[in-house]
Amino acid sequence: FLAQLAPGLITPALDGRFDFDPATGQLQVLTPAVSGRELDVATTLARLEEGVFAPDSRIVPMAFDYTLPRYHNQVTAAELGITELVAAEVTHFEGSSANRRTNIAVGVSRLNGIIVGPGEEFSFNYHLGEIDESNGFVEGLVIFGGRTIAGLGGGICQVSTTIFRAAFSGGFAITERNSHGYRVGYYELQGDPPGLDAAIWQPERDFKFQNNTPHHLLVEASFYPSRNELEFRFYSTQHWRAEIDDAIVKNLVDAPQPIFEANRDLQQGEILQVDFAAEGADVTVYRDIYDMQGNLVVEDDYVFTHYVPWQAIYQVAPTDSRLSTVNTVSAPTG
């Protein structure tokens, strides 16, 4: 009977989430760790045998074996080799809708305070969790089926793009990165170069990097709504230094002519833009990685992106003169 109960009483150990204080060099607990437990069948059975004839109590406590998580509440930065800032990247989201901003904020909150061990691979989708309403995500614009449409979690790629840039500039090994189909304006705000975006689409497309250093890595993420910024900071011990070259942009292709769609919900003279023009391009960004003695250890590592040209799409009233049989698509009412 106890053996049958045991699987349902297992609690896995959960690592804590932490913040690094550069002033003190200490970790501060953001989310407490949870110890794991497993039923000790033999000890519990022995307690039952001892208590079965006890006249004063008919309650026998179960016995459990407890295991500390790897990153428990008393773990220190020094023992993990977390001593300094080794990478940081900021992206901007001015002009984002309220829903897009909500999804960015939710994504940032779910990725803050994670420790990645030496040699371990970080999976964005794993730590983000499922993109659904129960996790706080709302509808925003996503790229799907050759269109920019409303979809749950739209804007989360701003978060994956930012952490990708931190991993890339920090010299970490990029093990999975998928680009967007076309150049997204948000990722080139404030003079940021093209070719450094990272798209995710659950469950098929993920962003992953490996902590290919001998030190633990702490991932911190912050959302700054008043500044329209989000930031990722990596704390560890500086193991190497990466130099990022300017983006090489080739094979520019003009955006196609805009498309006009008939939308029966619009009146004559009204117009609704549902997709935005972007020129096509091939973009390559190189990086060289040096050890702390200045020796070149990785040369001409790079990311390549092929962006397709993208047309603007406008919805207008069915009687609008800009509609034609060549570039018109009927839009559903809604």
Side-chain angles (χ1 to χ4, degrees):
F1 174 71
L2 290 174
Q4 291 175 340
L5 285 180
L9 296 173
I10 294 174
T11 300
L14 297 178
D15 292 329
R17 296 283 187 103
F18 301 90
D19 178 77
F20 179 73
D21 184 350
T24 64
Q26 302 298 317
L27 294 177
Q28 299 174 335
V29 177
L30 296 177
T31 304
V34 177
S35 294
R37 74 172 192 181
E38 187 170 335
L39 183 65
D40 182 340
V41 174
T43 302
T44 302
L45 184 59
R47 288 179 178 179
L48 283 169
E49 292 172 345
E50 293 172 359
V52 68
F53 295 115
D56 55 344
S57 174
R58 307 301 296 163
I59 298 174
V60 175
M62 289 182 173
F64 289 93
D65 293 322
Y66 291 91
T67 55
L68 277 177
R70 293 180 304 167
Y71 310 124
H72 50 83
N73 298 339
Q74 286 74 44
V75 72
T76 67
E79 66 185 278
L80 298 178
I82 297 172
T83 61
E84 59 189 323
L85 184 70
V86 298
E89 289 290 336
V90 173
T91 64
H92 307 83
F93 51 84
E94 52 260 39
S96 293
S97 67
N99 281 11
R100 189 175 192 272
R101 295 164 71 91
T102 293
N103 290 329
I104 293 171
V106 172
V108 166
S109 69
R110 299 183 70 84
L111 293 168
N112 185 37
I114 297 167
I115 293 177
V116 185
E120 290 183 351
E121 185 178 58
F122 173 94
S123 164
F124 184 89
N125 280 341
Y126 173 79
H127 290 289
L128 183 71
E130 189 170 353
I131 298 176
D132 59 22
E133 293 177 345
S134 68
N135 282 329
F137 293 101
V138 295
E139 278 204 342
L141 294 180
V142 299
I143 302 172
F144 181 75
R147 293 290 299 269
T148 304
I149 63 172
L152 204 61
I156 198 63
C157 291
Q158 181 103 34
V159 184
S160 56
T161 289
T162 312
I163 192 173
F164 158 61
R165 291 181 181 182
F168 190 68
S169 66
F172 296 94
I174 309 302
T175 53
E176 182 180 346
R177 175 254 175 182
N178 301 280
S179 66
H180 291 79
Y182 65 87
R183 294 172 68 170
V184 178
Y186 291 117
Y187 309 138
E188 298 180 33
L189 292 173
Q190 305 289 334
D192 285 344
L196 289 177
D197 58 294
I200 66 106
W201 185 267
Q202 294 183 347
E204 294 89 357
R205 304 288 177 89
D206 198 357
F207 167 67
K208 299 177 181 178
F209 73 89
Q210 183 188 32
N211 176 13
N212 51 337
T213 78
H215 313 288
H216 288 77
L217 168 68
L218 173 64
V219 176
E220 287 188 7
S222 297
F223 177 73
Y224 304 113
S226 63
R227 306 203 309 247
N228 294 308
E229 292 179 354
L230 71 102
E231 180 182 34
F232 273 91
R233 297 175 301 279
F234 287 4
Y235 290 97
S236 185
T237 294
Q238 195 80 51
H239 186 67
W240 42 43
R241 176 177 53 83
E243 290 188 358
I244 312 298
D245 294 343
D246 292 338
I248 301 171
V249 183
K250 295 182 177 180
N251 302 324
L252 289 172
V253 180
D254 291 337
Q257 290 298 310
I259 291 176
F260 292 88
E261 299 179 338
N263 186 333
R264 293 188 296 274
D265 288 344
L266 297 178
Q267 302 298 316
Q268 183 65 32
E270 293 181 331
I271 186 167
L272 176 64
Q273 187 170 7
V274 295
D275 226 328
F276 300 84
E279 62 183 3
D282 291 331
V283 183
T284 306
V285 180
Y286 286 92
R287 68 175 177 176
D288 293 330
I289 301 175
Y290 299 84
D291 65 21
M292 298 313 293
Q293 288 72 46
N295 301 307
L296 181 64
V297 293
V298 179
E299 184 177 14
D300 290 342
D301 185 29
Y302 68 93
V303 290
F304 171 79
T305 308
H306 172 69
Y307 295 113
V308 300
W310 206 257
Q311 73 286 325
I313 300 178
Y314 301 93
Q315 293 183 356
V316 295
T319 56
D320 194 288
S321 61
R322 287 168 291 191
L323 294 171
S324 72
T325 58
V326 176
N327 64 353
T328 300
V329 180
S330 293
T333 58

